[in-house]
Amino acid sequence: MKNKILNSLLLWIVAAIALGIACSFFFPQWLARVFITFNGLFSNFLGFFVPVLIFSLITPAIAGLGKGAGKWLGITAGIAYTSTITSGLIAWGTAALLYPSLLDGRTLVTGVADPSEGGLAPYFEVEMPAPLEVMSALLLAFVVGIAMTAVKSDTMYRVVDELQGVIMKVVTSFIIPLLPLYIFGTFLGLGMNDSFGSTLAAFGTVLVLSVVMTLVIILVLYLVAGAVAGRNPFVALRNMAPAYFTALGTSSSAATIPVTYASTLKNKVDDNVAGFVVPLCATIHLAGSMMKITLYALAIVSMGGLGISNAQIFGFLLLLGIMMIAAPGVPGGAIMAAVGLLQANLGFDESMVSLMIAAYIVVDSFGTAANVTGDGAIALIVNRFAAGRIKGYTLEGARA
């Protein structure tokens, strides 16, 4: 199901980008301002909705750590978080090294409200105050989630689990369908304020870099896993090739689970360890997604002249790692979960957020393939210590 939705969404977003570029050459300002008005309303709604999304995703994710296979669940989640954060740090280092020359002279002009300056002003705005600040929602999710693991309240867990289902219905039935229109308005506005050319050229380069770096993070993960597990990392990586290419084609970690499991068994991982780690990491391990989001975000920070400090970036990465663990399993779910941090921690406006969403989804499959292949590396690490200690997680019918 996710694969079908993603393919449709990707097609619509590519069409929205192309149409936004084309229409910017001949649309009259009065008509373009209609779409700019919609973008303002949609962006304000996201600002209202994202804290609720964060609470509804993270609370059951943390509470769920108290269920299942005990300490091995926590250990595996910790390894997945470390992998995700490491990916973000590598992306940060890559951006610090390459962006000064790669994006030299590139600028990103957004939020220009005066039409005489080349920008577009909305016809009207509607304030939509959020019920919570992003950080308040995150802290509340931590407090409630951790307390639930101690109290072991099944009733409360069902409540937050059902709340997550309700919120995800809003995401899949309202937000996701409107994203192409939102992105159309963004590229229309960029084209009409004369900032599109430099933005497109710079982001094209960053997109290519992000694909290359997803391959780099896979290699790093297998070098570490090979050292810990005492296995040849290149042989282990070769055995995971079917999972990588399946994920590349499906853009779905969940749909790739049987192939990932079978590929992991080729690396002599215990059946039960593979059956436990692979489905779990398909949900919580998003190193490839972290790589893309960090590279895109820092590119916008560089081109937009936002002046973000290193301490802010580091804090953003730590919190983004948590968001990635709780990211919903829907097309663009990781970037949607990150929207609040982009706005609250890095000061992104609606145009910047829209660019992030478009860039993320256009090459989503490469991030998913990196996530899935990395799951096999985590399985090797966990197997080194947990082989024979985890029982009852064999995935029947998913063998090679």
Side-chain angles (χ1 to χ4, degrees):
M1 177 62 72
K2 179 188 172 185
N3 187 32
K4 292 180 180 178
I5 296 173
L6 181 61
N7 289 338
S8 175
L9 180 61
L10 177 58
L11 179 63
W12 278 106
I13 285 181
V14 171
I17 293 172
L19 286 173
I21 296 169
C23 292
S24 68
F25 290 105
F26 63 86
F27 260 32
Q29 286 190 357
W30 67 266
L31 179 56
R33 290 177 65 191
V34 172
F35 295 97
I36 299 304
T37 301
F38 167 80
N39 272 30
L41 295 174
F42 189 78
S43 176
N44 287 345
F45 176 78
L46 285 181
F48 158 80
F49 182 72
V50 162
V52 182
L53 176 68
I54 289 171
F55 176 79
S56 68
L57 293 179
I58 293 179
T59 303
I62 293 175
L65 292 178
K67 301 177 179 289
K71 70 175 183 178
W72 295 113
L73 183 60
I75 290 171
T76 304
I79 295 172
Y81 179 75
T82 300
S83 171
T84 302
I85 290 298
T86 300
S87 179
L89 293 174
I90 291 174
W92 183 13
T94 301
L97 181 65
L98 298 181
Y99 282 0
S101 58
L102 198 63
L103 302 180
D104 184 35
R106 307 290 188 182
T107 58
L108 176 64
V109 181
T110 63
V112 182
D114 185 358
S116 65
E117 296 180 5
L120 296 170
Y123 283 111
F124 63 90
E125 297 180 356
V126 177
E127 294 295 327
M128 302 180 192
L132 291 170
E133 296 291 335
V134 170
M135 286 305 301
S136 297
L138 187 60
L139 289 173
L140 183 61
F142 267 108
V143 171
V144 175
I146 291 173
M148 286 170 61
T149 63
V151 175
K152 301 186 184 304
S153 171
D154 292 335
T155 300
M156 190 65 179
Y157 186 82
R158 285 196 299 270
V159 169
V160 296
D161 190 52
E162 289 184 9
L163 174 63
Q164 183 185 57
V166 171
I167 295 302
M168 288 311 303
K169 183 65 176 177
V170 177
V171 172
T172 57
S173 299
F174 179 72
I175 293 179
I176 295 296
L178 288 178
L179 282 179
L181 185 59
Y182 181 50
I183 289 167
F184 170 82
T186 298
F187 279 84
L188 177 68
L190 286 173
M192 296 188 76
N193 68 24
D194 299 325
S195 66
F196 176 74
S198 61
T199 299
L200 181 63
F203 248 81
T205 303
V206 174
L207 286 176
V208 173
L209 177 64
S210 71
V211 171
V212 173
M213 291 306 298
T214 58
L215 299 176
V216 171
I217 191 60
I218 292 173
L219 180 60
V220 170
L221 286 173
Y222 275 86
L223 289 174
V224 172
V228 172
R231 303 285 173 81
N232 185 319
F234 300 103
V235 172
L237 190 54
R238 184 184 63 197
N239 289 336
M240 292 299 298
Y244 180 87
F245 288 104
T246 300
L248 199 63
T250 64
S251 297
S252 171
S253 297
T256 312
I257 285 175
V259 181
T260 308
Y261 175 75
S263 299
T264 301
L265 292 181
K266 291 181 181 179
N267 285 328
K268 300 180 181 179
V269 173
D270 181 82
D271 288 21
N272 287 284
V273 172
F276 170 70
V277 172
V278 169
L280 176 62
C281 286
T283 302
I284 68 172
H285 180 233
L286 286 91
S289 300
M290 182 73 155
M291 176 65 70
K292 293 192 305 174
I293 290 175
T294 303
L295 287 174
Y296 300 158
L298 294 180
I300 290 177
V301 166
S302 176
M303 291 189 294
L306 296 183
I308 304 299
S309 68
N310 288 337
Q312 286 176 288
I313 295 174
F314 185 63
F316 169 75
L317 293 179
L318 293 179
L319 293 175
L320 183 59
I322 297 171
M323 296 298 189
M324 293 298 94
I325 287 180
V330 298
I335 188 62
M336 291 307 304
V339 165
L341 289 180
L342 293 170
Q343 293 174 325
N345 290 47
L346 300 185
F348 278 27
D349 61 26
E350 61 270 18
S351 295
M352 294 173 176
V353 169
S354 182
L355 278 173
M356 286 287 298
I357 294 172
Y360 182 90
I361 293 177
V362 164
V363 292
D364 180 67
S365 61
F366 288 95
T368 302
N371 297 337
V372 164
T373 310
D375 296 347
I378 293 178
L380 278 170
I381 294 173
V382 175
N383 186 72
R384 170 66 177 78
F385 306 100
R389 300 181 182 182
I390 297 177
K391 303 293 184 181
Y393 286 91
T394 300
L395 300 185
E396 297 298 335
R399 294 176 177 273

